[in-house]
Structures are given as structure tokens and as C-alpha cells.
């Protein structure tokens, strides 16, 4: 069965600190997709990144970076020089089944609430 | 383009009442999903529809029914609401051209008293 675990339920750091959100997943599929979503206090869900199981390159987008390691089934998310606007709940998610199957589902972790203090 | 729209935005029901949550998309995506979000539990999949005319159960389908009316619309029905169904409900679609990235509606906050 597919499973996504985000062990950190809440993290609080002071602005400008770096922070890493952990995500560990379980799947029997050889082809799968991993995602990160952000949910700010306004409540909408904002897509951040997708990574397929064949691409283990790390990715950087501005202050955001993602570290995908198949050997440890982890897809961690780091915010460098955090800002108050980064305060949100962050969800890691896993798409089961073949990547191009219209019927495949996305399973979400329980989320990490990140608070950035000024 | 409106993307994914949901109605209503807020709803209060009494135990035993029924209601239908509406979802519509104008992105021409085949796949549509209903999730519920509860504090500390992330998003849990209720039902999904891979294409018009098909629906499948997700993780927590009990107490709900769905209808994929056409390619644009996917509704979620609570036949006899219970306090345990108090939650925020999100509808989503999935884009096959972007490695199945999901697009979410704004959510419906439902309270059952």
C-alpha cells in the first residue's frame, strides 16, 4: 500500500533561518510521482513541485530546494533564509500507479505546519 | 478560465440532513477527485473519477456518494449528514500533460451540528 509520512507536525523558526521539512514515502510501484503543495492561511492549495521516480536530481527554485533520495524513500524540502510569508502548511504527496494513468490516485501526507517568527 | 470552482463555500447542516457539493472545471481534464481535510490528518481521498461515467472509492468513501455528470462536473452527496463529516472539502482535477499535477478548487467548509 502507498503511504506518505511527514513526521514533523509543526515547526517554528525565526525568520532568515533555514528549515527542512521531511517526507518519507512507501510504494511498491517502480514508476511514481512525488509532489509538494503549500497551503497558506487563506486555505487554497498551491502546487510547488513534482518529481518522477526516475529523476533523482535535486532541484532548486529560488529559496526552495528539494532532495529526492530513492535509497531512503525520502523527498525532503528545504527553505533557505525563511521569510514570514513562508508560514503555511506544507503537504508531501505520492501518486500511485503508472505515471500516465488517468486512474492513478494521489495520496497526501498529514502535513507540516511551518511558522516563521519575525 | 475559472479553473476549478466549488459551491457552496460554506454550509451548516443539522445531523440527518442531506446536501450536494458541486464541483466544476473548465480545463478539459478527464480526472476529478474529492478530498476532505481534517486538522492533523492532511487530505484524504473520498472518491475519484478517472473519466466521464466512471467513479471509484478512495480512502474514506463511507457516508458519501458521487456523480460524474459530464466531463466538467463531479458532485459529492451526503445523504444523511453526521457530525463526523464536519470538514473542509476540496475538489481537484488532474492534468495529464503536466505529469498529472493536480489543480484544486477553493474548498467548501461544512459544519454538521
Amino acid at each position: 500500500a502507498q503511504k506518505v509520512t511527514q513526521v514533523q507536525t509543526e515547526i517554528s523558526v525565526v525568520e532568515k533561518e533555514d528549515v527542512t521539512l521531511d517526507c518519507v514515502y512507501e510504494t511498491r510501484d517502480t514508476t511514481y510521482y512525488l509532489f509538494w503543495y503549500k497551503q497558506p492561511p487563506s486555505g487554497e492549495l498551491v502546487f510547488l513541485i513534482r518529481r518522477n521516480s526516475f529523476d533523482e536530481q535535486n532541484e532548486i527554485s529560488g529559496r526552495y530546494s528539494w532532495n529526492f533520495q530513492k535509497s531512503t524513500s525520502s523527498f525532503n524540502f528545504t527553505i533557505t533564509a525563511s521569510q514570514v510569508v513562508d508560514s503555511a502548511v506544507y503537504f508531501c504527496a505520492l501518486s500511485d500507479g503508472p505515471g500516465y494513468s488517468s486512474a492513478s490516485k494521489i495520496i497526501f501526507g498529514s502535513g507540516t505546519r511551518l511558522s516563521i517568527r519575525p | 478560465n475559472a479553473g476549478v470552482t466549488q459551491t457552496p463555500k460554506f454550509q451548516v447542516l443539522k445531523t440527518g440532513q442531506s446536501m450536494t457539493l458541486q464541483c466544476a472545471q473548465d480545463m478539459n481534464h478527464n480526472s476529478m477527485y474529492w478530498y476532505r481535510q481534517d486538522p492533523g490528518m492532511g487530505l484524504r481521498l473520498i472518491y475519484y473519477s478517472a473519466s466521464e461515467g466512471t467513479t471509484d472509492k478512495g480512502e474514506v468513501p463511507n457516508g458519501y456518494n458521487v456523480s460524474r455528470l459530464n466531463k466538467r462536473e463531479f458532485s459529492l452527496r451526503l445523504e444523511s449528514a453526521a457530525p463526523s463529516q464536519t470538514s473542509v472539502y476540496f475538489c481537484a482535477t488532474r492534468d495529464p500533460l503536466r505529469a498529472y499535477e493536480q489543480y484544486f478548487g477553493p474548498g467548501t467548509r461544512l459544519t454538521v451540528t
Side-chain angles (χ1 to χ4, degrees):
Chain A
Q2 287 73 27
K3 187 177 178 182
V4 177
T5 302
Q6 295 180 253
V7 294
Q8 303 144 313
T9 53
E10 292 194 38
I11 301 175
S12 180
V13 300
V14 176
E15 199 172 21
K16 297 183 184 174
E17 285 186 16
D18 298 346
V19 58
T20 295
L21 283 62
D22 297 331
C23 174
V24 174
Y25 63 92
E26 296 174 28
T27 181
R28 293 196 190 117
D29 296 318
T30 55
T31 302
Y32 52 89
Y33 284 86
L34 294 162
F35 305 82
W36 276 96
Y37 284 84
K38 174 181 179 180
Q39 187 176 42
S42 52
E44 75 272 23
L45 284 148
V46 179
F47 166 80
L48 294 178
I49 190 173
R50 122 192 105 249
R51 172 69 67 222
N52 75 51
S53 52
F54 296 110
D55 182 2
E56 287 195 70
Q57 284 191 343
N58 291 334
E59 181 153 343
I60 298 175
S61 176
R63 297 183 296 105
Y64 295 173
S65 62
W66 291 269
N67 182 2
F68 175 32
Q69 292 195 337
K70 282 180 80 169
S71 60
T72 56
S73 296
S74 64
F75 186 42
N76 297 336
F77 173 32
T78 297
I79 302 175
T80 304
S82 59
Q83 299 177 3
V84 173
V85 293
D86 296 326
S87 296
V89 180
Y90 291 86
F91 292 99
C92 181
L94 165 70
S95 172
D96 74 336
Y100 289 96
S101 166
S102 178
S104 59
K105 307 184 295 292
I106 292 186
I107 306 296
F108 283 78
S110 55
T112 297
R113 181 177 299 278
L114 177 63
S115 298
I116 310 297
R117 308 188 304 273
Chain B
N1 285 350
V4 182
T5 57
Q6 292 182 236
T7 54
K9 285 189 168 51
F10 301 94
Q11 183 71 49
V12 178
L13 290 178
K14 288 184 167 41
T15 297
Q17 287 185 320
S18 63
M19 79 159 295
T20 300
L21 280 64
Q22 307 285 355
C23 174
Q25 53 114 350
D26 61 3
M27 295 181 287
N28 203 35
H29 294 165
N30 285 324
S31 305
M32 297 186 74
Y33 304 77
W34 275 106
Y35 292 90
R36 61 176 288 173
Q37 183 179 19
D38 303 297
M41 302 196 71
L43 280 83
R44 292 183 292 168
L45 183 63
I46 305 171
Y47 271 93
Y48 66 105
S49 170
S51 61
E52 183 180 349
T54 69
T55 60
D56 284 287
K57 295 178 180 178
E59 303 168 75
V60 288
N62 292 345
Y64 304 96
N65 285 304
V66 289
S67 179
R68 184 72 184 269
L69 303 167
N70 46 55
K71 192 170 186 179
R72 289 189 64 247
E73 298 170 293
F74 188 37
S75 60
L76 178 72
R77 183 158 179 84
L78 287 71
E79 291 291 352
S80 179
S84 61
Q85 294 177 305
T86 294
S87 188
V88 180
Y89 292 84
F90 287 96
C91 177
T93 70
R94 207 162 174 201
D95 184 356
L97 298 179
R98 290 180 60 82
Y100 284 94
E101 174 185 328
Q102 279 196 316
Y103 295 84
F104 287 86
T108 294
R109 187 174 293 275
L110 175 67
T111 302
V112 183
T113 60

